[in-house]
DNA sequence: TTTAATTACGTAAACGTTTTCGCGTATCCG
DNA sequence: CGGATACGCGAAAACGTTTACGTAATTAAA
């Protein structure tokens, strides 16, 4: 609808060729500083900005990356995106967002739609519904891709994760030191390396302290809020655990609600601890002991890696970048 | 890096022209069903997807919209994005995200970068730092744009908002009915219509109940967390309000912390109420009375409006869509 | 002085689509 | 049977860039 200011227009007004204009705009060594300045000035004057479609088509560079995640309405992911965006801005890149809602089919549909040159690269935290290794094995060969937090193992791709095993081990020890001997585990991400690592950290910490692992104390996450609440209530009622270790943030509300409904006091009757990036954890009743992942830094780091790849910079040989989570002790575990 | 499957390739394999292939792919009436089926089958077989850049360049349609917001790491906005994305998927659109971090210059830079055909339209919730009416007056003439929640008034553009004035009035009445007479106001978004409406609702409710408005009971939001805490502490210490009415979520943590540090019990000594979409409001200590905006629906509604515009559908004459917020009474106001 | 190298710019093709226009064949009606 | 109509398809231009290559003028080297 505007008056179409493009390279041709600039060329006409300056009486030079469009090739010269293009090169000047891209600061090519072939063009004299004098000409460059004429072009730059006019471009600014006319508010010229290059047409991205034309530029993409010719150069095969989109200056765009995609972020494929389960959901933005989650503290971890929204913070990650914030980190990603910050880096993307530094590099002058645009950011597309795709939410899979934990649906692997949506995930595949989205990523497939990105392979035709829509983006230069992908950042993803995969869905937990299924572990489709074959698909990603092929995918990483077709487009630069960096996994963060929820990753696929054994692939030729960079992974940015946290010390899930170690921090889960440490958190479990914290519960044990607080006197707990019947620690229930609220199990999320069971199909993914992160979920498995957290669970292993929990199990190994029990073992290291001579506590038997009891299968009945494990509750697996369901998509449905109500059913999680029910499960936890049954767990609390039937097996009387003295602690709930939640491996994902989504269990917090049902866990707290279950305790209230059963008149169980936290932390007196049951201690609670959860992986979480809730900013209001310290304001909960009682304040919640959390394992806080460096979500913002994970986003930044993952984006940095992707841009290194896109700029053909050497990655510091390491394909795995592991950031440290932190255990923040609060009232829900008696601190 | 792949083996380049494009229209030309399809045309060669089927021994027809690229024009026919293109038309068949777009389900043109000019092409026989027989030919269409041949094309569709081969396209599926070869995993053909059209090159977006080429398509954009020629057709001036990007199938992409931009969302420009202050920050994704905020319950309201992340929920809005979720709603936007849902609608965008239905229409087969892609979604670009831009975070202004309340910086109007970033906002202008971003939106300007979208005017050269990168997107078909924009959804935005503007930054609170400044009210630059002149800029947006020009902008809405250049590209389809829908405002949501944080809008500009008196512009020829669709606005999706909530009943800020009414709900703030109602919330203030709730505090008054709970016995409060010295209700402090934590003032956010003061440059924007939403902020002004909320403040007006508060003031008018006071007036309606014969309570004098006291300037000293108003605290204005600062970017810096620590200074908000200090301000609230001074407010509580110097003027002894019996209620805090927060117009934005960002005041919740400093408000709660200030009360704790000053040993003021909520709701006994001071009642607290806030605009907020915190999912954990009911778990806070004490549980927080909130004005919850229908963030998800706002996102959906705004996106729907934009797509109506993009499809040249008649908008139901109304430029303003106003959704209802809901006051959820909890312990922090004595319920 | 001749030749080679460099500098500064232009020509034109190419990227993969969409779309206008036109053309031949088949169908229909009088 | 002649003319009009519709149908199905192809040729080619166009979208706005980037870039390989050519070229003329200038400078440096021999």
């Amino acid at each position: 609808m505007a008056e179409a200011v493009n390279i041709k227009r600039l060329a006409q007004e300056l009486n030079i060729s469009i090739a010269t204009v293009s090169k000047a705009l891209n600061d090519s060594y072939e063009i004299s500083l004098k000409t460059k300045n004429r072009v730059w000035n006019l471009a600014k004057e006319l508010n010229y900005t290059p047409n991205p479609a034309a530029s993409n088509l010719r150069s095969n560079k989109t200056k765009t990356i995609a972020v494929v995640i389960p959901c933005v309405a989650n503290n971890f992911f929204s913070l990650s995106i914030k980190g990603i965006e910050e880096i993307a801005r530094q590099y002058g890149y645009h950011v597309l967002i795709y939410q899979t809602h934990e649906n692997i089919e949506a995930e595949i549909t989205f990523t497939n739609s990105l392979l035709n040159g829509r983006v230069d690269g992908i950042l993803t935290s995969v869905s937990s519904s299924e572990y489709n290794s074959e698909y990603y094995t092929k995918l990483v060969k077709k487009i630069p891709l960096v996994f963060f937090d929820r990753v696929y193992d054994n692939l030729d791709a960079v992974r940015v994760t946290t010390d899930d095993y170690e921090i889960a081990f440490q958190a479990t020890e914290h519960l044990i030191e607080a006197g707990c001997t019947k620690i229930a585990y609220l199990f999320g991400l069971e199909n993914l390396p992160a979920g498995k690592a957290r669970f292993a950290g929990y199990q190994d910490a029990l073992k290291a302290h001579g506590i038997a692992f009891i299968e009945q104390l494990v509750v697996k996450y369901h998509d449905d809020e109500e059913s999680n609440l029910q499960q936890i209530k049954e767990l609390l009622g039937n097996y009387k655990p003295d602690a709930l270790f939640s491996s994902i943030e989504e269990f917090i509300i049902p866990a707290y609600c279950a305790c209230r409904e059963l008149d169980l006091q936290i932390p007196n009757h049951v201690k609670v601890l959860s992986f979480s990036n809730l900013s209001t954890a310290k304001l909960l009743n009682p304040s919640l002991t959390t394992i806080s992942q460096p979500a913002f830094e994970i986003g930044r780091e993952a984006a940095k890696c992707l841009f290194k790849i896109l700029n053909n910079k050497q990655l510091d040989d390491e394909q795995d970048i592991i950031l440290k989570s932190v255990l923040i002790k609060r009232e829900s575990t008696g601190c």
Side-chain angles (χ1 to χ4, degrees), chain A:
Chain A
M1 48 184 80
E3 61 297 335
V5 37
N6 50 24
I7 275 197
K8 198 190 218 169
R9 166 92 181 277
L10 296 182
Q12 282 173 350
E13 302 226 356
L14 294 174
N15 258 322
I16 55 182
S17 76
I18 63 168
T20 305
V21 175
S22 173
K23 289 173 191 167
L25 290 170
N26 292 316
D27 203 10
S28 161
Y29 67 95
E30 293 183 61
I31 307 300
S32 71
L33 186 58
K34 193 172 144 193
T35 309
K36 283 182 187 174
N37 278 325
R38 291 182 63 212
V39 173
W40 290 340
N41 288 334
L42 185 63
K44 180 167 289 181
E45 188 187 330
L46 298 184
N47 261 320
Y48 167 80
T49 52
N51 179 298
S55 181
N56 298 352
L57 179 59
R58 179 56 224 246
S59 66
N60 270 323
K61 307 271 170 204
T62 65
K63 282 274 177 187
T64 305
I65 60 172
V67 178
V68 182
I69 53 174
C71 185
V72 293
N74 164 294
N75 295 292
F76 176 81
F77 290 118
S78 58
L79 281 171
S80 302
I81 292 175
K82 192 174 169 184
I84 291 168
E85 247 237 12
E86 182 176 307
I87 303 298
R89 293 305 158 231
Q90 289 175 14
Y91 284 81
Y93 268 66
H94 301 256
V95 179
L96 283 164
I97 299 273
Y98 299 85
Q99 301 187 65
T100 66
H101 299 293
E102 308 286 5
N103 181 340
I104 185 106
E105 320 217 347
E107 195 170 308
I108 292 179
T109 303
F110 290 154
T111 47
N112 277 340
S113 79
L114 300 171
L115 297 178
N116 51 16
R118 186 173 291 276
V119 299
D120 294 344
I122 300 178
L123 291 168
T124 187
S125 205
V126 304
S127 78
S128 60
S129 63
E130 199 180 313
Y131 192 79
N132 191 332
S133 201
E134 313 87 69
Y135 177 73
Y136 276 95
T137 306
K138 289 185 216 151
L139 185 66
V140 296
K141 291 177 186 155
K142 297 184 191 165
I143 193 168
L145 185 149
V146 170
F147 291 101
F148 67 97
D149 193 50
R150 300 175 173 208
V151 308
Y152 273 83
D153 274 344
N154 305 318
L155 293 187
D156 184 28
V158 175
R159 285 175 291 272
V160 179
T161 56
T162 54
D163 53 346
D164 288 301
Y165 175 86
E166 290 80 4
I167 200 75
F169 191 102
Q170 184 186 334
T172 309
E173 276 196 322
H174 169 59
L175 289 170
I176 294 171
E177 285 161 9
C180 300
T181 55
K182 260 181 108 173
I183 303 172
Y185 189 83
L186 308 182
F187 200 167
L189 310 178
E190 55 174 326
N191 294 316
L192 302 181
K196 291 178 182 171
R198 293 172 191 186
F199 189 52
Y202 157 76
Q203 288 186 303
D204 288 358
L206 292 184
K207 193 181 297 176
H209 288 264
I211 300 177
F213 165 68
I214 302 175
E215 187 103 29
Q216 284 79 9
L217 292 179
V218 175
V219 163
K220 291 186 177 175
Y221 180 75
H222 285 68
D223 240 350
D224 163 39
E225 268 203 30
E226 187 55 36
S227 103
N228 287 321
L229 177 63
Q230 283 311 320
Q231 282 191 95
I232 297 174
K233 281 170 74 174
E234 286 169 20
L235 168 72
L236 290 169
N238 298 339
Y239 299 101
K240 316 281 183 198
D242 53 15
L244 298 178
F245 180 176
S246 161
S247 61
I248 53 172
E249 190 168 283
E250 284 75 10
F251 273 122
I252 294 176
I253 293 183
Y256 268 59
C257 290
C259 290
R260 284 193 192 174
E261 294 184 21
L262 298 179
D263 266 329
L264 294 171
Q265 287 172 23
I266 307 172
N268 297 345
H269 300 144
V270 55
K271 305 202 188 319
V272 179
L273 181 156
S274 181
F275 273 84
S276 169
N277 284 82
L278 258 187
S279 61
T280 52
K282 63 176 170 183
L283 301 182
L284 294 194
N285 183 17
S287 64
L288 175 65
T289 295
T290 57
I291 295 168
S292 176
Q293 294 179 279
F296 182 73
E297 287 74 19
I298 291 176
R300 285 176 49 97
E301 209 55 48
K304 281 185 190 171
C305 285
L306 182 57
F307 288 122
K308 274 188 195 166
I309 296 173
L310 294 182
N311 295 329
N312 292 317
K313 295 226 178 91
Q314 201 57 27
L315 287 177
D316 320 334
D317 50 285
E318 201 53 71
Q319 290 230 323
D320 276 290
I321 295 180
I322 301 174
L323 303 180
K324 282 201 181 304
S325 300
V326 45
L327 176 65
I328 304 173
K329 301 173 184 175
R330 297 202 183 89
E331 294 165 4
S332 70
T333 55
C335 299

